[in-house]
């Protein structure tokens, strides 16, 4: 527990306002949308890509928060915060790290610190699986390994814990020393070195040297000796601080010398020599990454002197690590959020935040198991869980496990509850549970096997799915926000089912991240968003007279692009006695599609001057070729015409309105054209024509299918309709579950298209069929049921579009609705 006075001292801050210096701080908050316990929360006003954290101080104060860390630049009126404690510091992020570093210093139990390019989270979770029977473990939730994530991870530590497992990730020089001070790992792990997150470093050597700083005070460091650059850096570290180096690898000098790795159909046997004795383990995985991660964990267990036979037993029981939270369509118009692989307070809060984003259903339900190894008494634990669920306004709770049943009275504040001693008991009662039109979160410890519940709740889906990475959408949104001029608003394009990625699911995320506007093509798209709980302003780009009633009913704002639609909508508003209805005026500055032309603007101004039924929210136009330097002269002509048109309209109306012209490419190619707002389209979904920008974006959509059958055919045999595919040699052909009815273009027939199978690019052979496509997988090790990537990170949608003589827009929006969408957050 820390008082405000303690916090002021730790951060070397200045107490600008002090209502009560003895106020106890229990919770740290960096995101105003994730507030749970106002009275005991300390809010850090961190700078963001568009908004400063200080902009949310007043809002949080109105919600009951009384304790704030702000930067020195924070300006306020004392009368607005009479009951607050406000501490000013030079850097609020540094203050967060200072407080949690002080917290870490209060505990003397071993802390395992993990860094490296890949495998950090897997190693952390496997160590938890392997050691949880022996220790009360505190570990990083999900992938909380950043400058902010690490402090929040360390803040979880309490006196009941006996072991910590914390991961640390960096993206640029100067970051690791800060994380080392917060974690202070006694046992260090360097998983490997690779290209991941290398953008901020000049070369691999600089990256290794930065990561090695993590082990400045570690008593022992575990790493692979076969990675020579890492080994050399570690030997230099050893000379400085006398760390013990526990190495593994094929090198005879390694502490754990690997003598053989035997990959079998369903497991891998790893043999080694340790302290001159032959030892071995078997793991239920066969891929190279899993083998390396398991060996790293083996080293930790050997260092901790876990019995060799016990290690063998536990290694064989390792489970896959599900590092993502998935949103799927459920039975009876439900949405199912599956996070059924871990259960602890922190990950529960993260999952509930995601549940709260879902606005498509009026009812929110949580199915949760016993929470194991919390470090709290069960009375305190389940009271806290109940408080969190009530704060998140959960309508229905289903508790599974003997412990949560004992404390069922703690949940009396939740409208609807039911409890079961086991998953089997719940499954037996499932038919009578009646799940309908609700968002359901599954949150269970692994041993409760909630995947059985998930299978019952999820709608049975076609094995071809489009996965949408919501973390990537957020990353791409932030990437473009950082390119905006100060004060520029952002309109996100969610037309055409959000470019094929889903309607309300993407809109929910954008609303959570507080974009300023959404835009859809037709009124029915906007109506669906409103029904799903989207409250952001929505512009409708193709309003039709027959939709005026639903436009007004659902507060949708039409684009007026001609005198015809202006007249019919004006008549409709006058008949219904509606004044100052929000509309958007479209100018045609060269696209030659929709909009008032330059010669129309004088007449348009006269019409606008004589009516009071419209309130112009924005005036905008569409650039024809903002991505192409060959047409920059034309783009500048468009911008000039747009500015002149806006000036004329503003002069007549006498009030200001939002001006927007820039689309995705213009955001960075023509920054002078950002005006008051930009329209972010396909860039949000991970596609940009500019190579430099494209490298900063993350892949959002992955279309994947599976192999339904594999055949061996002889040279000269034909494949598919019209016998268009002919084997030139003895070949292996795989039929996959996707065709042109799913949106896979028939133009990709006969070797033009390719798919990604087990790290190999394999060509289409024969004609693409309605529901199936054949691939020539000769020479590729594959089995029926294997996953096949149609497009994704390994095979960009832009490349597939090029093969199909098309553009990414057409491919993404053409994915059939029978292809189920699966949304996930990592």
């Amino acid at each position: 527990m820390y008082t405000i006075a303690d916090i002021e001292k730790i951060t070397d801050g200045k107490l600008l306002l002090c209502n009560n210096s003895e106020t106890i701080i229990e919770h740290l908050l960096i995101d105003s949308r994730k507030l749970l316990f106002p009275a005991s929360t300390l809010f850090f006003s961190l700078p963001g890509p568009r908004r400063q954290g200080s902009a949310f101080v007043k809002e949080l104060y109105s919600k009951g928060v009384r304790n704030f860390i702000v930067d020195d630049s924070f300006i306020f009126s004392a009368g607005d915060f009479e009951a607050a404690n406000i501490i000013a510091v030079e850097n609020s992020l540094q203050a967060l790290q200072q407080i949690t570093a002080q917290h870490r210093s209060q505990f003397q139990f071993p802390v395992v610190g993990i860094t490296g390019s890949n495998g950090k989270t897997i190693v952390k979770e496997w160590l938890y699986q392997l050691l949880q029977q022996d220790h009360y473990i505190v570990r990083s939730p999900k992938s909380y390994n950043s400058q902010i994530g690490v402090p929040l991870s360390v803040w979880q530590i309490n006196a009941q814990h006996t072991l910590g497992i914390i991961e640390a990730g960096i993206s640029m020089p100067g970051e690791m020393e800060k994380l080392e001070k917060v974690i202070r790992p006694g046992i260090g792990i360097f998983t490997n070195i690779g290209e991941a997150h290398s953008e901020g470093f000049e070369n691999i050597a600089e990256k290794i040297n930065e990561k090695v700083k993590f082990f400045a005070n570690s008593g022992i460091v575990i790493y692979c000796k076969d990675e020579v650059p890492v080994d050399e850096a570690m030997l230099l570290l050893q000379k400085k601080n006398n760390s013990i180096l526990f190495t593994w690898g094929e090198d005879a000098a390694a502490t754990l010398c690997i003598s053989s790795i035997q990959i079998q159909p369903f497991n891998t046997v790893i043999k080694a020599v340790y302290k001159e004795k032959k030892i071995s383990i078997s793991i239920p995985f066969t891929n190279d990454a899993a083998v390396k991660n398991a060996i790293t964990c083996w080293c930790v267990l050997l260092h901790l002197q876990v019995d060799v036979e016990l290690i063998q037993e536990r290694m064989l029981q390792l489970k896959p690590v599900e590092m993502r939270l998935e949103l799927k369509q459920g039975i009876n118009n439900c949405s199912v959020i599956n996070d059924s692989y871990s259960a602890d307070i922190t990950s529960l809060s993260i999952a509930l935040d995601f549940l709260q984003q879902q606005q498509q259903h009026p009812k929110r339900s949580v199915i949760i198991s016993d929470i194991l190894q919390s470090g709290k008494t069960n009375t305190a634990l389940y009271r806290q869980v109940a408080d969190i669920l009530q704060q998140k306004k959960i309508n229905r709770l289903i508790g599974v496990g003997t412990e949560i049943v004992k404390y069922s009275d703690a949940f009396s504040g939740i409208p609807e509850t039911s409890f079961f001693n086991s998953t089997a008991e719940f499954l037996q009662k499932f038919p009578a549970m009646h799940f309908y039109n609700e968002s359901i979160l599954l949150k269970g410890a692994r041993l409760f096997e909630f995947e059985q519940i998930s299978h019952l709740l999820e709608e049975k889906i076609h094995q071809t799915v489009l996965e949408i990475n919501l973390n990537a959408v957020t990353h791409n949104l932030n990437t473009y926000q950082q390119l905006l001029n100060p004060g520029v608003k952002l309109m996100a394009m969610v037309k055409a089912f959000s470019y094929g990625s889903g309607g309300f699911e993407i809109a929910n995320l954008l609303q959570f991240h507080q974009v300023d506007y959404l835009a859809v093509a037709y009124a029915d798209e906007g109506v669906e968003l409103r029904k799903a709980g989207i409250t952001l302003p929505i512009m409708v780009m193709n309003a039709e007279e027959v939709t005026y009633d639903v436009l007004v009913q659902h507060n949708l704002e039409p684009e007026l692009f001609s005198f015809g639609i202006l007249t019919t909508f004006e008549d409709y508003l006058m008949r219904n006695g509606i004044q100052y209805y929000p509309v958007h005026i479209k100018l045609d500055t060269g696209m030659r599609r929709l909009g008032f032309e330059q010669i129309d603007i004088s007449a348009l101004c006269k019409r606008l001057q004589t009516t009071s039924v419209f309130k112009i929210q924005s005036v905008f136009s569409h650039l024809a070729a903002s991505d192409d330097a060959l047409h920059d002269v034309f783009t500048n002509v468009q911008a000039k015409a747009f500015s002149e048109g806006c000036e004329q309209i503003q002069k007549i109306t006498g009030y200001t309105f939002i001006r927007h012209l820039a689309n995705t490419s213009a955001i960075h190619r023509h920054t002078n054209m950002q005006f008051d707002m930009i329209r972010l389209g396909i860039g949000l979904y991970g596609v940009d024509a500019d190579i430099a920008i494209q490298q900063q974006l993350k892949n959002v959509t992955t279309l994947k299918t599976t192999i339904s059958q594999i055949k061996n055919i002889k040279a000269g045999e034909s494949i598919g309709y019209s016998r268009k595919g002919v084997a030139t040699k003895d070949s292996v052909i795989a039929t996959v579950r996707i065709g042109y009815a799913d949106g896979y273009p028939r133009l990709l027939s006969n070797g033009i298209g390719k798919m990604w199978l087990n790290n190999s690019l394999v060509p289409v052979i024969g004609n693409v069929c309605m529901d199936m496509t054949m691939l020539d997988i000769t020479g590729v090790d594959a089995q029926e049921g294997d996953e096949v990537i149609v497009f994704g990170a390994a095979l960009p949608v832009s490349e597939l579009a090029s093969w199909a003589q098309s553009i990414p827009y057409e491919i993404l929006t053409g994915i059939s609705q029978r292809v189920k969408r699966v949304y996930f957050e990592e």
Side-chain angles (χ1 to χ4, degrees):
M1 297 293 185
Y2 299 86
T3 66
I4 284 294
D6 294 330
I7 299 291
E8 180 189 21
K9 185 176 180 180
I10 292 167
T11 60
D12 194 26
K14 180 181 179 181
L15 200 53
L16 301 181
L17 276 181
C18 181
N19 178 62
N20 181 3
S21 65
E22 297 305 309
T23 299
I24 299 293
I25 300 301
E26 297 181 41
H27 307 280
L28 306 184
L29 182 68
I30 61 166
D31 188 331
S32 63
R33 298 162 297 188
K34 299 180 180 180
L35 176 64
L36 285 174
F37 304 107
S40 56
T41 289
L42 175 63
F43 176 68
F44 293 80
S45 61
L46 303 179
R50 293 185 68 206
R51 299 178 177 92
Q52 296 296 314
S54 55
F56 301 99
V57 169
K58 195 166 186 176
E59 173 194 338
L60 285 168
Y61 184 81
S62 70
K63 293 179 178 179
V65 178
R66 293 295 178 262
N67 308 294
F68 303 91
I69 293 274
V70 298
D71 289 339
D72 290 334
S73 59
F74 182 64
I75 300 174
F76 68 99
S77 170
D80 293 335
F81 303 98
E82 290 180 353
N85 299 307
I86 300 179
I87 300 173
V89 296
E90 187 176 334
N91 183 302
S92 52
L93 175 57
Q94 181 179 318
L96 172 65
Q97 294 170 347
Q98 288 172 325
I99 293 166
T100 49
Q102 172 65 23
H103 183 62
R104 163 69 181 93
S105 71
Q106 305 302 309
F107 303 92
Q108 304 307 315
F109 58 76
V111 172
V112 181
I114 309 170
T115 193
S117 297
N118 303 104
K120 295 184 293 293
T121 302
I122 299 291
V123 169
K124 177 196 70 186
E125 293 300 323
W126 277 359
L127 285 174
Y128 177 77
Q129 290 181 32
L130 293 163
L131 294 167
Q132 62 177 324
Q133 296 176 50
D134 309 319
H135 296 275
Y136 280 106
I137 299 174
V138 58
R139 71 195 196 276
S140 310
K142 301 290 184 179
S143 296
Y144 272 38
N145 58 30
S146 67
Q147 297 291 303
I148 294 173
V150 164
L152 295 180
S153 298
V154 167
W155 184 252
Q156 301 175 95
I157 297 175
N158 65 49
Q160 303 303 315
H161 293 122
T162 61
L163 179 68
I165 310 174
I166 309 292
E167 57 178 290
I170 55 170
S171 57
M172 63 181 67
E175 292 185 333
M176 191 56 90
E177 287 179 299
K178 298 173 184 176
L179 298 186
E180 191 278 333
K181 290 177 182 177
V182 177
I183 300 173
R184 290 286 172 174
I187 303 170
I189 296 176
F190 197 136
T191 57
N192 55 44
I193 193 68
E195 294 301 322
H197 312 294
S198 293
E199 300 87 352
F201 299 94
E202 291 185 6
N203 50 50
I204 288 292
E206 183 183 37
K207 186 177 178 183
I208 291 172
N209 290 333
E210 179 68 18
K211 286 184 176 290
V212 166
K213 294 175 183 177
F214 187 48
F215 311 115
N217 296 287
S218 298
I220 185 168
V221 184
I222 296 165
Y223 68 96
C224 178
K225 192 172 182 64
D226 297 338
E227 291 197 76
V228 176
V230 174
D231 188 44
E232 291 174 347
M234 288 300 181
L235 291 171
L236 288 174
L237 173 72
Q238 187 182 43
K239 290 180 180 179
K240 293 180 181 178
N241 68 359
N242 295 316
S243 292
I244 298 170
L245 302 183
F246 192 126
T247 62
W248 66 268
E250 296 178 359
D251 191 312
T255 313
L256 180 69
C257 180
I258 307 300
S259 53
S260 73
I261 296 174
Q262 301 167 5
I263 298 175
Q264 300 175 355
F266 303 106
N267 68 304
T268 300
V269 177
I270 309 167
K271 296 182 178 181
V273 176
Y274 176 63
K275 293 185 176 179
E276 300 181 351
K277 291 182 179 180
K278 294 181 179 180
I279 57 175
S280 66
I281 58 170
S282 178
I283 62 170
F285 303 93
T286 58
N287 62 80
D288 182 61
V291 169
K292 291 177 179 177
N293 292 333
I295 294 172
T296 298
C297 293
W298 192 8
C299 293
V300 176
L301 270 62
L302 289 170
H303 168 67
L304 293 175
Q305 299 181 346
V306 178
D307 181 76
V308 170
E309 290 184 1
L310 188 57
I311 293 174
Q312 290 176 329
E313 177 187 326
R314 292 181 180 178
M315 283 287 183
L316 199 54
Q317 296 171 359
L318 283 175
K319 305 293 185 187
V321 176
E322 296 291 340
M323 294 193 297
R324 63 190 211 179
L325 181 154
E326 292 186 334
L327 170 66
K328 297 182 179 179
Q329 185 64 37
I331 59 173
N332 304 326
N333 195 39
C334 292
S335 296
V336 179
I337 301 169
N338 189 354
D339 195 23
S340 59
Y341 301 95
S342 65
D344 57 74
I345 289 289
T346 304
S347 65
L348 172 63
S349 296
I350 294 169
L352 287 170
D353 287 336
F354 186 75
L355 175 62
Q356 199 168 36
Q357 289 180 36
Q358 310 311 312
Q359 302 293 323
Q360 61 270 30
H361 303 298
K363 184 176 181 180
R364 294 189 179 95
S365 301
V366 173
I367 304 176
I368 188 171
S369 75
D370 287 347
I371 294 178
L372 310 176
Q373 289 198 332
S374 69
K376 300 174 181 285
T377 66
N378 279 343
T379 300
L381 169 65
Y382 290 109
R383 186 183 298 123
Q384 184 179 6
V385 171
D387 288 344
I388 292 172
L389 295 176
Q390 287 179 245
Q391 287 282 344
K392 295 295 185 180
K393 295 181 171 55
I394 299 305
N395 308 100
R396 182 188 198 184
L397 169 70
I398 297 171
V400 178
T402 54
E403 292 305 310
I404 197 170
V405 167
K406 292 176 186 176
Y407 296 91
S408 58
D409 289 348
F411 300 95
S412 59
I414 296 172
E416 185 180 345
T417 60
S418 50
F419 296 89
F420 303 90
N421 284 299
S422 66
T423 302
E425 184 183 338
F426 170 81
L427 294 173
Q428 188 177 12
K429 301 286 187 181
F430 181 82
M433 296 299 291
H434 303 300
F435 293 97
Y436 177 74
N437 195 29
E438 54 194 286
S439 295
I440 307 164
L441 169 64
L442 291 178
K443 189 67 181 159
R446 184 179 292 277
L447 64 87
F448 284 87
E449 298 181 337
F450 270 21
E451 57 267 26
Q452 298 178 66
I453 301 175
S454 175
H455 291 156
L456 290 176
L457 287 172
E458 291 173 11
E459 188 177 65
K460 302 303 178 282
I461 63 172
H462 178 24
Q463 288 192 45
T464 297
V465 298
L466 185 69
E467 291 187 345
I468 294 97
N469 184 339
L470 298 178
N471 295 98
V473 176
T474 301
H475 169 87
N476 297 341
L477 174 65
N478 290 336
T479 297
Y480 286 100
Q481 285 180 328
Q482 290 171 6
L483 299 173
L484 300 185
N485 298 325
V488 174
K489 299 178 184 292
L490 188 147
M491 173 183 281
M493 310 303 290
V494 293
K495 60 181 182 176
F497 201 53
S498 291
Y499 291 64
S501 296
F504 65 79
E505 297 89 351
I506 299 297
N508 271 332
L509 182 70
L510 296 170
Q511 179 164 277
F512 181 75
H513 288 289
Q514 301 179 341
V515 302
D516 300 288
Y517 252 97
L518 299 177
V520 297
Y522 295 99
D524 57 350
E525 294 176 311
V527 170
E528 288 304 309
L529 294 183
R530 287 286 187 246
K531 288 180 177 178
I534 301 303
T535 58
L536 287 173
I538 300 174
M539 181 176 78
V540 178
M541 304 184 77
N542 289 281
E544 302 166 282
E545 190 171 356
V546 294
T547 66
Y548 289 166
D549 279 330
V550 295
L551 274 172
V552 172
Q553 180 184 346
H554 294 282
N555 194 26
L556 304 174
E557 303 174 8
E559 167 190 320
L560 304 183
F561 53 80
S562 70
F563 288 111
I565 192 171
L566 184 149
T567 298
T568 57
F569 193 54
E570 181 182 27
D571 291 345
Y572 171 84
L573 295 174
M574 291 176 68
R575 285 197 307 273
N576 288 276
I578 299 171
Q579 289 197 324
Y580 306 112
Y581 194 84
V583 297
H584 301 262
I585 304 295
K586 174 74 173 287
L587 304 182
D588 184 356
T589 58
M591 185 75 170
R592 296 296 177 257
R593 192 171 61 180
L594 294 177
F596 293 96
E597 298 188 25
Q598 285 178 283
I599 60 173
D600 299 327
I601 292 179
S602 294
L604 171 64
C605 288
K606 289 180 181 178
R607 289 290 300 273
L608 295 173
Q609 194 174 25
T610 58
T611 183
S612 60
V613 298
F614 300 136
K615 168 66 170 66
I616 300 174
Q617 292 295 99
S618 81
V619 176
F620 72 105
S621 188
H622 204 114
L623 295 172
S626 64
D627 60 332
D628 194 338
L630 290 174
H631 300 292
D632 281 353
V633 171
F634 184 78
T635 299
N636 287 323
V637 170
Q638 282 194 267
K640 184 173 184 294
F642 175 68
S643 293
E644 292 172 351
C646 289
E647 286 177 12
Q648 285 182 260
I649 295 171
Q650 184 171 325
K651 186 175 180 181
I652 289 296
T653 59
Y655 60 82
T656 58
F657 42 75
I658 299 170
R659 302 165 300 160
H660 50 111
L661 178 66
N663 54 9
T664 294
S665 291
I667 292 171
H668 51 85
R669 290 205 68 248
H670 303 282
T671 56
N672 61 311
M673 299 179 193
Q674 291 182 8
F675 290 98
D676 305 311
M677 184 162 69
I678 57 89
R679 298 189 302 276
L680 180 57
I682 199 163
L684 188 63
Y685 308 98
V687 179
D688 196 294
D690 185 278
I691 294 174
I693 297 296
Q694 181 65 60
Q695 290 175 343
Q696 298 178 45
L697 302 180
K698 290 188 176 180
N699 178 69
V700 169
T701 51
T702 299
L703 180 60
K704 55 174 61 174
T705 186
T706 57
I707 296 175
S708 54
Q709 190 174 26
I710 294 175
K711 291 177 181 280
N712 294 290
I713 65 170
K714 298 293 184 183
E717 289 189 42
S718 62
I719 300 99
Y721 284 121
S722 305
R723 304 189 67 200
K724 292 294 185 182
V726 177
T728 58
K729 59 183 180 182
D730 290 356
S731 303
V732 182
I733 305 301
T735 299
V736 296
R737 297 176 169 94
I738 190 170
Y740 55 77
D742 301 297
Y744 192 69
R746 199 165 181 273
L747 272 171
L748 298 178
S749 301
N750 303 306
I752 295 173
K754 299 176 181 63
M755 297 186 195
W756 191 257
L757 170 65
N758 296 339
N759 296 314
S760 298
L761 207 55
V762 294
V764 173
I765 186 166
N767 283 329
V768 173
C769 308
M770 180 182 290
D771 311 298
M772 290 168 282
T773 300
M774 287 71 72
L775 304 174
D776 184 347
I777 65 168
T778 306
V780 178
D781 183 18
Q783 299 177 345
E784 292 176 0
D786 278 1
E787 185 177 88
V788 180
I789 304 298
V790 182
F791 63 73
L795 177 56
V797 66
S798 55
E799 191 163 355
L800 185 145
S802 177
W803 294 335
Q805 301 175 37
S806 183
I807 56 176
Y809 296 80
E810 184 177 8
I811 300 299
L812 290 172
T813 58
I815 303 302
S816 165
Q817 290 302 298
R818 82 174 183 182
V819 175
K820 297 301 179 183
R821 274 67 174 172
V822 176
Y823 303 86
F824 68 90
E825 278 194 352
E826 294 177 336

